[in-house]
Amino acid sequence: LCGKLDEVIYEEVVSYENSAEELPQGMDAQDVVRKVKYREIQRIRLNPAEAKYGCQIPKGAWHTVEVFEPSVIFEAKDGAYQK
């Protein structure tokens, strides 16, 4: 493998807001708006030159990759591929 990149892991933060003051006249004030944000909880630098070749992503975690130089990425998962 080659290249330098960060694997960034996020947690989902859900909040609920009562939007009564924003509702048009006649709508039920019980309407609630669900808001979802994502907060970074971990950043892992992968760099073969520093012998950091991979990492374990927790099952169900939101994640992304930030690439700093041309990279080759190999992803493997437990078990058989299922559609």
Side-chain angles (χ1 to χ4, degrees):
L1 301 179
C2 65
K4 186 189 315 182
L5 56 93
D6 280 355
E7 178 70 39
V8 186
I9 302 173
Y10 301 92
E11 72 176 347
E12 186 176 277
V13 179
V14 179
S15 63
Y16 297 92
E17 295 179 4
N18 185 330
S19 57
E21 57 274 353
E22 301 171 12
L23 295 176
Q25 188 173 3
M27 288 190 72
D28 187 4
Q30 295 300 315
D31 288 342
V32 174
V33 176
R34 180 179 188 260
K35 299 206 178 213
V36 178
K37 294 182 181 179
Y38 300 93
R39 179 174 42 224
E40 182 179 320
I41 58 171
Q42 188 175 13
R43 183 174 288 262
I44 304 162
R45 174 66 48 97
L46 301 179
N47 184 353
E50 298 173 1
K52 296 179 182 173
Y53 300 102
C55 63
Q56 182 74 33
I57 307 299
K59 184 176 181 177
W62 291 98
H63 62 101
T64 191
V65 175
E66 292 183 9
V67 178
F68 299 107
E69 58 187 48
S71 301
V72 174
I73 300 170
F74 173 76
E75 180 178 352
K77 298 180 179 183
D78 291 340
Y81 174 76
Q82 297 177 357
K83 289 186 178 182

